[in-house]
Amino acid sequence: MRLRPLIAITVLPLLLWAALPLVSSGATNQQRLSDLQQKIQAAQGKIGRKKGTEHVLSSQIAAWTARINRLQGRIGALQTRESQIQSGLDAARADLQRIQADLRLQRARQARL
Protein backbone atom coordinates (compact mmCIF):
# COMPACT_ATOMS: atom_id res chain seq x y z
CA MET A 1 0.00 0.00 0.00
CA ARG A 2 2.81 2.38 0.60
CA LEU A 3 3.87 1.89 -2.96
CA ARG A 4 0.79 3.56 -4.43
CA PRO A 5 1.26 6.92 -2.65
CA LEU A 6 4.93 6.83 -3.55
CA ILE A 7 4.11 6.24 -7.22
CA ALA A 8 1.42 8.93 -7.07
CA ILE A 9 3.83 11.42 -5.53
CA THR A 10 6.49 10.79 -8.19
CA VAL A 11 4.24 10.30 -11.23
CA LEU A 12 1.90 13.25 -10.59
CA PRO A 13 4.63 15.93 -10.83
CA LEU A 14 6.02 14.22 -13.93
CA LEU A 15 2.59 14.26 -15.56
CA LEU A 16 2.12 17.92 -14.66
CA TRP A 17 5.57 18.74 -15.97
CA ALA A 18 4.81 16.88 -19.23
CA ALA A 19 1.43 18.65 -19.59
CA LEU A 20 2.89 22.11 -19.00
CA PRO A 21 4.06 22.61 -22.63
CA LEU A 22 0.58 21.66 -23.85
CA VAL A 23 -1.01 24.39 -21.76
CA SER A 24 1.59 26.98 -22.66
CA SER A 25 1.55 26.06 -26.37
CA GLY A 26 -2.10 27.14 -26.49
CA ALA A 27 -1.05 30.66 -25.65
CA THR A 28 1.77 30.38 -28.16
CA ASN A 29 -0.65 29.19 -30.81
CA GLN A 30 -2.93 32.14 -30.01
CA GLN A 31 0.01 34.48 -30.34
CA ARG A 32 1.07 32.81 -33.57
CA LEU A 33 -2.47 33.15 -34.87
CA SER A 34 -2.51 36.81 -33.86
CA ASP A 35 0.87 37.41 -35.53
CA LEU A 36 -0.31 35.63 -38.66
CA GLN A 37 -3.47 37.74 -38.77
CA GLN A 38 -1.40 40.89 -38.41
CA LYS A 39 0.82 39.78 -41.27
CA ILE A 40 -2.24 39.03 -43.39
CA GLN A 41 -3.66 42.48 -42.63
CA ALA A 42 -0.34 44.11 -43.48
CA ALA A 43 -0.18 42.17 -46.76
CA GLN A 44 -3.77 43.16 -47.56
CA GLY A 45 -2.85 46.78 -46.86
CA LYS A 46 0.08 46.54 -49.24
CA ILE A 47 -2.15 44.94 -51.87
CA GLY A 48 -4.69 47.74 -51.44
CA ARG A 49 -2.00 50.40 -51.87
CA LYS A 50 -0.61 48.63 -54.93
CA LYS A 51 -4.10 48.44 -56.43
CA GLY A 52 -4.51 52.16 -55.80
CA THR A 53 -1.20 52.82 -57.51
CA GLU A 54 -2.22 50.52 -60.35
CA HIS A 55 -5.47 52.46 -60.81
CA VAL A 56 -3.62 55.79 -60.90
CA LEU A 57 -1.07 54.44 -63.38
CA SER A 58 -3.81 52.96 -65.56
CA SER A 59 -5.54 56.34 -65.64
CA GLN A 60 -2.30 58.08 -66.54
CA ILE A 61 -1.57 55.55 -69.28
CA ALA A 62 -5.05 56.05 -70.72
CA ALA A 63 -4.57 59.83 -70.71
CA TRP A 64 -1.15 59.56 -72.40
CA THR A 65 -2.54 57.09 -74.96
CA ALA A 66 -5.34 59.51 -75.83
CA ARG A 67 -2.84 62.34 -76.17
CA ILE A 68 -0.55 60.22 -78.37
CA ASN A 69 -3.51 59.30 -80.58
CA ARG A 70 -4.46 62.98 -80.96
CA LEU A 71 -0.87 63.88 -81.79
CA GLN A 72 -0.66 61.06 -84.33
CA GLY A 73 -3.82 62.40 -85.96
CA ARG A 74 -2.31 65.87 -86.14
CA ILE A 75 0.94 64.45 -87.52
CA GLY A 76 -1.01 62.64 -90.23
CA ALA A 77 -2.86 65.83 -91.16
CA LEU A 78 0.42 67.79 -91.23
CA GLN A 79 2.07 65.14 -93.40
CA THR A 80 -0.84 65.35 -95.85
CA ARG A 81 -0.54 69.14 -95.91
CA GLU A 82 3.23 68.88 -96.39
CA SER A 83 2.66 66.54 -99.32
CA GLN A 84 0.24 68.99 -100.93
CA ILE A 85 2.62 71.91 -100.41
CA GLN A 86 5.53 69.88 -101.82
CA SER A 87 3.45 69.05 -104.91
CA GLY A 88 2.66 72.75 -105.36
CA LEU A 89 6.32 73.65 -104.88
CA ASP A 90 7.41 71.06 -107.44
CA ALA A 91 4.90 72.46 -109.94
CA ALA A 92 6.10 76.03 -109.27
CA ARG A 93 9.74 74.96 -109.78
CA ALA A 94 8.83 73.33 -113.07
CA ASP A 95 7.11 76.57 -114.15
CA LEU A 96 10.14 78.59 -113.04
CA GLN A 97 12.51 76.37 -115.03
CA ARG A 98 10.28 76.67 -118.10
CA ILE A 99 10.08 80.46 -117.74
CA GLN A 100 13.87 80.73 -117.23
CA ALA A 101 14.48 78.65 -120.36
CA ASP A 102 12.02 80.85 -122.29
CA LEU A 103 13.76 83.98 -120.94
CA ARG A 104 17.14 82.68 -122.12
CA LEU A 105 15.68 82.05 -125.58
CA GLN A 106 14.14 85.51 -125.71
CA ARG A 107 17.41 87.15 -124.62
CA ALA A 108 19.34 85.22 -127.24
CA ARG A 109 16.76 86.27 -129.86
CA GLN A 110 17.02 89.88 -128.72
CA ALA A 111 20.82 89.76 -128.99
CA ARG A 112 20.57 88.46 -132.54
CA LEU A 113 18.09 91.14 -133.54
Side-chain angles (χ1 to χ4, degrees):
M1 293 287 232
R2 288 186 178 179
L3 188 60
R4 282 189 185 178
L6 182 61
I7 293 176
I9 290 175
T10 53
V11 171
L12 186 60
L14 288 175
L15 288 175
L16 290 174
W17 180 76
L20 183 64
L22 296 176
V23 174
S24 65
S25 69
T28 304
N29 285 339
Q30 276 295 68
Q31 186 162 356
R32 286 181 188 169
L33 180 61
S34 176
D35 289 344
L36 186 58
Q37 286 175 341
Q38 287 175 354
K39 287 180 182 179
I40 289 171
Q41 288 174 350
Q44 287 174 340
K46 285 181 184 179
I47 289 170
R49 287 189 296 277
K50 296 293 182 183
K51 283 185 179 182
T53 302
E54 175 187 3
H55 179 70
V56 169
L57 291 175
S58 295
S59 298
Q60 288 177 348
I61 288 170
W64 281 107
T65 299
R67 186 172 182 192
I68 288 169
N69 289 337
R70 285 192 306 272
L71 289 172
Q72 284 178 335
R74 288 182 64 194
I75 288 169
L78 289 171
Q79 285 175 335
T80 301
R81 186 174 172 201
E82 178 190 18
S83 233
Q84 293 169 346
I85 291 170
Q86 186 65 47
S87 295
L89 180 61
D90 291 343
R93 278 190 180 153
D95 284 345
L96 177 61
Q97 287 174 350
R98 185 181 45 77
I99 291 170
Q100 285 176 339
D102 189 38
L103 178 62
R104 280 193 288 278
L105 286 174
Q106 292 301 324
R107 283 185 179 164
R109 182 174 175 219
Q110 182 184 12
R112 281 183 297 206
L113 290 176

